[in-house]
Amino acid sequence: MRFDTVIIGGGLSGLVAGIDLVRKGQKCLIVSSGQSALHFFSGSFELCNKENDPMKAIASLDACHPYSKLGAERVEALAARVKPFFAELGLNFKGDASANHWRMTPLGVMKRAWLTLDEYATFESETEMPWKKVSVLNIDGFLDFHTSYIAAALEAKGVEVAVASLSAPQFDKLRESPTEMRSTNISKTIIGEFVDALAEQINGKTDGSDAVLMPAVAGLTGTAEVERLKELVKVPFHFLPTLPPSTPGIRIQMMLKKYFQQQGGVYMLGDSVTEGRFEDGKLKSIKTLNNEDTEFEADNFILATGSFFSKGIVASQNGVAEPVFGLDVDADSDRTNWYQRNMFDAQPYMTFGVATDEEFRAKKDGRPVVNLYVVGSVLSGFNAIKDGCGAGVSILTSLNAADQIMNL
Amino acid sequence: MNKEQNTNAESFEQCLKCTVCTVYCPMVAVNPDYPGPKQAGPDGERYRLKNPVFYDDALDLCLNCKRCEVACPSNVKIGDIIQSARLKYSSKKPKLRDFILANTDIMGTMASTMAPVVNFTLGLKPVKAVMDGVLAVDHHRTFPKYAGQRFETWFKRYALKKQEEYTKKVSYFHGCYANYNNPKLAKDFVKIMNAIGYGVNLLEKEKCCGVALISNGFKNQAIKQANLNLGSIRKAVGRGEPILTTSSTCTFTMRDEYAHILELDNSDVRSSIALATKFIFELVDAGKVKLVFKDDYRKRIAYHTPCHMEKLGWAIYSTSLVKMIPGVDFNMLDSQCCGIAGTYGFKKEHYEDSQKIGESLFRQIRDLNLDMVATDCETCKWQIEMSTGVQVENPISIIADALDVEATQKANR
């Protein structure tokens, strides 16, 4: 079967590249071996959160960092395309690349962010809060959102906090299986007429508050329920992230996938690439586990398989390897150098990934595979946590690869 | 590690407790009594290995849709763990109702012999009331009609001889549904294969693939039937013939459940068993055969991906074939469970959950204003037809109806 581009990996990177290519008329296939890191989405994308000015922070990154390879000018140009890219799909973000804003984690810690999904709380300052008094509401029995941490963090910044809980027979039913009372299962109940009833209950618990903060537990399949809540709740209404799984993250995954398919893209979930046929420094075709002898041929390929968690690279006692094609990896061969004893230090293994040339083309046996572009977390040379750049690298390198394929 | 390297029930060590499977479990969403795939599968298995007393009867609620496995980023065989646990630990004895639902061959043979009487009787309100009350088969359900003449009988009488004209041959596993209830589907398959220059053989012996036996707890009988089928399949493969099917569930069962649940070695023939749509698409894609369609075929069609088709990963073949018909206005439905899960939704205790699971799919179908839904699974067909009133056809029947047979024959001579 023939495609213009075959993308291996169907998370944020693979879908961004795929959507950009189908929009430009390409016939694309995405092969995905399981659901992606978007299921653990915090509500925000980071470009580089080491400083308030992300572009200034990017200028000081190592030469091996994907951003350094792209160059500052290119990073800025690509970053400017991201908000409109998502807005066209009905996903609205706040923020831009000129300055980071602040967001709050489920444990009440403040972190810098580049783009945050509209419905989440964001802050201009790390220490000064925009409210005198807020209501922090949780769903009765929901264990992935801890009001005490949130309240303590806000109170330390001089905000008066009123904690209350929301109850309903729908939630009681979910509590019968407490370990499975996750944000996504709650969101499946917050639909239809219940949205209005819930808004009314929220309004009854906002006594004198400037804003309401709630765990992100609504809007699994679209933004309609969130919009309705915003409309009906009488004070400003914001989400805070929950512990995983992330309802808004899954919404993003589903909306990206659906859009890709509607534009004619083919998305194969739950499959694995088993082998590739290489000829004259090019990847000609791949085979997959489910499709056995069927060859999927393409002019170009994109590797977007993620890092260790998604098994884009795997570590064994003897080394680090790229499991799909056996591509070259940038990794220390001495295992004792992989990690620092203090868990909170920058861990060297975090920078391991597939080795690429200056054009982000994968290297195999020391030579570039000229039609195999590598994007996102499977790339080497950066520490997504310490540099605060995971989503930025994913989105920007994917848009860049799509441009390269289209000769833009 | 890829999916290939993680095919046994002991693979639960790979589970990271990320709960992604729970997000996509259709049962958890409608019935909190079900502990969810993570708890029922890898988490529960740790306890059950220590002591079978930890087996939870709520595992009966699992639909065996395998959507948890498709979603799992760590390649854990969650659905297989749950199915195996049910067969190994459940102390519940299957009921008479379960025996009747599971034994599609016995029921099919009896019913098709007296088809008019059976169809009439099964449709009667008092009979439905008795089935509901005594057997706990939900009264909302309409049993699929039984055909007066089985496909096998028709084939031997009217089509067998013609197959000798062809040098290229395939073997056909028709399954219970095409044999007893919908011989038109099987005839459509023969019509297409003959038109593209392939003769059709039936297997020497064929029994129900066993999917309903597995889900109703009759493991030993399922193994017996599987061995009989595998014997016939091996003979056909020995003749160099691929085994083609027109049901995604039979295909999935023979390729994967035989090995994973019944613990039979089918590795020598697994890759020879394929859906007819995959086989035909690949011939067309490679330029080896041509399909010529009628000029005046006009239909607005949406494809529904059955759970086992999602697991097979083969929806692309059926949809690509249907899209080849020039007069088809094609729509893709969101891939989700329709709620029937084989014999599951026929049971009175599951009827309500079954309908709740399919609700959003039915809504999507109604809103699209379709002529027809295409799907590769017979039980999805019953569920969608009953719940939406929209006609549902197998892609093979759609291709057969749209095909210009004479022109196709000519093009492939």
Side-chain angles (χ1 to χ4, degrees):
Chain A
M1 208 179 296
R2 241 205 108 65
F3 291 87
D4 295 320
T5 301
V6 168
I7 299 163
I8 307 161
L12 180 62
S13 300
L15 278 165
V16 165
I19 287 170
D20 206 49
L21 289 168
V22 290
R23 275 177 178 169
K24 287 167 180 147
Q26 281 224 326
K27 191 182 171 200
C28 286
L29 167 69
I30 291 180
V31 184
S32 168
S33 74
Q35 292 293 359
S36 75
L38 273 171
H39 289 61
F40 315 106
F41 178 60
S42 64
S44 302
F45 292 144
E46 297 157 328
L47 187 61
C48 187
N49 69 5
K50 291 172 104 169
E51 296 185 44
N52 282 333
D53 177 353
M55 292 313 297
K56 199 174 148 211
I58 285 168
S60 65
L61 293 169
D62 292 340
C64 61
H65 196 288
Y67 287 158
S68 306
K69 263 186 178 176
L70 283 169
E73 207 177 306
R74 181 80 178 137
V75 167
E76 206 164 354
L78 289 167
R81 281 162 57 182
V82 177
K83 243 163 85 169
F85 178 97
F86 285 102
E88 211 175 306
L89 279 76
L91 291 162
N92 294 309
F93 286 84
K94 6 179 207 187
D96 61 71
S98 64
N100 281 318
H101 56 262
W102 294 89
R103 67 174 176 98
M104 190 175 267
T105 72
L107 301 184
V109 177
M110 298 295 276
K111 296 236 180 196
R112 292 192 184 98
W114 164 39
L115 299 175
T116 297
L117 208 54
D118 230 4
E119 67 227 47
Y120 281 87
T122 52
F123 311 88
E124 280 174 31
S125 150
E126 184 183 10
T127 48
E128 280 172 44
M129 296 288 105
W131 317 297
K132 280 205 179 72
K133 183 184 172 189
V134 291
S135 294
V136 177
L137 305 180
N138 194 14
I139 308 292
D140 232 0
F142 180 48
L143 301 175
D144 291 334
F145 184 74
H146 299 277
T147 48
S148 51
Y149 289 117
I150 305 292
L154 289 167
E155 279 162 0
K157 296 177 213 301
V159 181
E160 190 189 333
V161 181
V163 174
S165 64
L166 302 166
S167 47
Q170 284 91 332
F171 303 148
D172 292 343
K173 187 83 186 136
L174 290 174
R175 287 184 79 176
E176 288 170 19
S177 183
T179 59
E180 305 309 309
M181 192 180 180
R182 304 286 172 182
S183 70
T184 48
N185 285 339
I186 296 171
S187 71
K188 286 172 187 170
T189 68
I190 304 179
I191 50 169
E193 286 167 8
F194 183 49
V195 179
D196 293 27
L198 191 66
E200 199 174 313
Q201 202 181 136
I202 294 171
N203 281 330
K205 298 187 177 184
T206 56
D207 187 30
S209 290
D210 305 324
V212 175
L213 300 176
M214 232 185 91
V217 293
L220 182 65
T221 55
T223 52
E225 291 83 9
V226 181
E227 294 302 325
R228 183 81 183 144
L229 281 175
K230 269 190 181 170
E231 186 191 321
L232 294 175
V233 175
K234 289 182 181 130
V235 293
F237 168 90
H238 309 285
F239 275 154
L240 287 177
T242 67
L243 294 175
S246 161
T247 294
I250 294 166
R251 179 205 313 155
I252 295 178
Q253 172 80 31
M254 293 202 280
M255 286 175 76
L256 292 177
K257 181 183 167 203
K258 192 166 180 172
Y259 182 88
F260 173 72
Q261 289 175 315
Q262 279 169 348
Q263 301 288 313
V266 178
Y267 192 104
M268 301 200 308
L269 181 64
D271 203 353
S272 290
V273 174
T274 49
E275 60 178 274
R277 185 161 59 82
F278 291 85
E279 257 172 45
D280 310 322
K282 272 189 164 184
L283 179 57
K284 304 299 273 189
S285 67
I286 56 152
K287 286 185 182 178
T288 77
L289 190 62
N290 284 342
N291 295 286
E292 298 170 335
D293 290 335
T294 306
E295 279 194 59
F296 296 98
E297 296 170 292
D299 298 327
N300 290 289
F301 293 81
I302 294 177
L303 189 76
T305 44
S307 188
F308 293 102
F309 178 80
S310 304
K311 302 186 170 68
I313 46 171
V314 291
S316 66
Q317 286 300 320
N318 309 317
V320 174
E322 187 287 308
V324 181
F325 302 117
L327 300 170
D328 297 353
V329 291
D330 289 324
D332 201 310
S333 56
D334 183 353
R335 197 184 157 89
T336 57
N337 295 333
W338 288 5
Y339 54 89
Q340 298 284 332
R341 292 203 77 82
N342 182 348
M343 197 181 86
F344 295 101
D345 287 346
Q347 297 293 336
Y349 70 81
M350 289 289 293
T351 66
F352 296 173
V354 170
T356 55
D357 70 0
E358 289 308 304
E359 306 284 312
F360 291 97
R361 298 177 301 193
K363 285 187 196 167
K364 191 168 162 61
D365 307 319
R367 288 215 298 276
V369 181
V370 297
N371 66 341
L372 174 56
Y373 298 92
V374 184
V375 300
S377 327
V378 69
L379 281 165
S380 69
F382 70 106
N383 184 325
I385 292 174
K386 288 289 168 188
D387 301 337
C389 65
V393 168
S394 288
I395 298 169
L396 268 46
T397 55
S398 298
L399 290 174
N400 185 60
D403 280 2
Q404 286 172 292
I405 286 169
M406 298 305 294
N407 293 314
L408 294 173
Chain B
M1 164 112 32
N2 64 38
K3 297 263 174 198
E4 193 172 25
Q5 293 155 295
N6 217 356
T7 50
N8 66 65
E10 280 79 49
S11 66
F12 61 80
E13 289 295 345
Q14 292 293 326
C15 174
L16 298 166
K17 318 291 165 213
C18 72
T19 72
V20 163
C21 54
T22 305
V23 175
Y24 294 92
C25 174
M27 183 50 70
V28 165
V30 301
N31 188 344
D33 293 339
Y34 183 56
K38 178 176 75 75
Q39 176 62 33
D43 287 7
E45 191 66 12
R46 285 170 209 278
Y47 290 106
R48 294 190 290 264
L49 285 176
K50 284 261 182 206
N51 189 338
V53 77
F54 288 111
Y55 177 78
D56 179 354
D57 279 331
L59 265 62
D60 277 352
L61 290 168
C62 170
L63 298 163
N64 197 28
C65 69
K66 310 279 186 192
R67 286 188 185 264
C68 48
E69 289 186 10
V70 174
C72 177
S74 303
N75 310 326
V76 178
K77 298 287 172 193
I78 309 159
D80 288 351
I81 294 172
I82 298 169
Q83 280 307 301
S84 300
R86 287 177 57 187
L87 289 169
K88 194 167 168 193
Y89 302 113
S90 178
S91 54
K92 272 195 192 163
K93 290 269 173 297
K95 300 176 190 155
L96 171 64
R97 185 263 328 257
D98 303 337
F99 178 83
I100 292 173
L101 289 174
N103 280 276
T104 49
D105 273 322
I106 299 177
M107 289 310 290
T109 309
M110 284 176 14
S112 59
T113 315
M114 302 183 291
V117 181
V118 173
N119 290 337
F120 175 71
T121 316
L122 286 175
L124 290 175
K125 269 201 177 146
V127 174
K128 284 192 168 194
V130 169
M131 296 219 301
D132 189 296
V134 179
L135 290 175
V137 171
D138 195 275
H139 67 274
H140 292 91
R141 294 283 169 205
T142 306
F143 266 82
K145 294 243 181 303
Y146 287 96
Q149 185 183 47
R150 275 176 254 165
F151 165 69
E152 281 190 2
T153 315
W154 172 87
F155 183 83
K156 280 169 193 159
R157 247 180 237 171
Y158 303 110
L160 183 61
K161 196 141 180 26
K162 187 172 186 277
Q163 307 309 314
E164 290 165 13
E165 296 166 18
Y166 302 92
T167 47
K168 288 180 286 187
K169 292 272 172 68
V170 297
S171 275
Y172 180 40
F173 182 94
H174 47 67
C176 308
Y177 169 69
N179 196 27
Y180 303 118
N181 305 110
N182 189 1
K184 178 176 182 296
L185 169 58
K187 291 176 195 171
D188 286 339
F189 167 76
V190 176
K191 174 172 143 183
I192 298 172
M193 294 316 292
N194 287 174
I196 60 174
Y198 282 79
V200 175
N201 282 327
L202 300 190
L203 293 173
E204 190 181 278
K205 280 180 189 154
E206 176 185 324
K207 284 264 187 195
C208 167
C209 68
V211 66
L213 292 167
I214 296 171
S215 62
N216 284 287
F218 300 97
K219 187 178 179 183
N220 291 337
Q221 201 192 332
I223 290 175
K224 237 188 249 170
Q225 294 190 191
N227 276 325
L228 182 134
N229 287 333
L230 285 173
S232 300
I233 287 170
R234 285 196 177 100
K235 280 185 190 159
V237 172
R239 296 192 298 266
E241 295 167 12
I243 316 305
L244 301 187
T245 60
T246 44
S247 157
S248 47
T249 288
C250 304
T251 315
F252 165 72
T253 303
M254 294 192 291
R255 284 170 53 93
D256 292 346
E257 301 280 84
Y258 279 8
H260 299 167
I261 308 294
L262 302 180
E263 297 160 285
L264 301 173
D265 183 5
N266 64 351
S267 55
D268 54 330
V269 293
R270 181 177 181 269
S271 63
S272 303
I273 305 167
L275 265 175
T277 52
K278 179 174 191 277
F279 182 81
I280 297 167
F281 174 82
E282 287 184 335
L283 287 176
V284 176
D285 193 46
K288 289 178 186 160
V289 308
K290 283 198 180 69
L291 298 176
V292 186
F293 293 103
K294 293 172 189 161
D295 292 332
D296 58 350
Y297 189 89
R298 296 275 180 285
K299 288 267 190 298
R300 185 168 158 83
I301 296 176
Y303 184 80
H304 161 68
T305 312
C307 297
H308 293 159
M309 192 69 164
E310 180 80 2
K311 176 68 183 147
L312 283 168
W314 289 356
I316 184 175
Y317 303 109
S318 292
T319 55
S320 299
L321 268 187
V322 173
K323 281 189 209 168
M324 281 178 194
I325 306 170
V328 165
D329 172 11
F330 184 85
N331 297 267
M332 191 73 185
L333 297 166
D334 293 344
S335 181
Q336 69 151 94
C337 181
C338 72
I340 187 89
T343 59
Y344 189 97
F346 276 84
K347 299 175 183 174
K348 191 176 167 63
E349 67 271 28
H350 297 318
Y351 178 78
E352 206 181 309
D353 286 344
S354 176
Q355 294 312 105
K356 264 197 233 160
I357 288 169
E359 212 174 86
S360 48
L361 176 71
F362 308 147
R363 203 179 318 126
Q364 201 186 5
I365 290 172
R366 286 192 212 104
D367 289 349
L368 277 169
N369 213 355
L370 302 161
D371 293 316
M372 200 185 277
V373 169
T375 197
D376 289 271
C377 170
E378 52 272 18
T379 60
C380 296
K381 171 182 156 79
W382 304 335
Q383 171 78 337
I384 294 170
E385 285 185 340
M386 184 196 87
S387 310
T388 65
V390 178
Q391 185 192 351
V392 182
E393 290 296 339
N394 189 293
I396 287 294
S397 286
I398 293 171
I399 299 290
D401 287 347
L403 199 69
D404 182 333
V405 176
E406 265 179 47
T408 303
Q409 274 170 343
K410 224 183 256 173
N412 292 291
R413 230 166 243 154

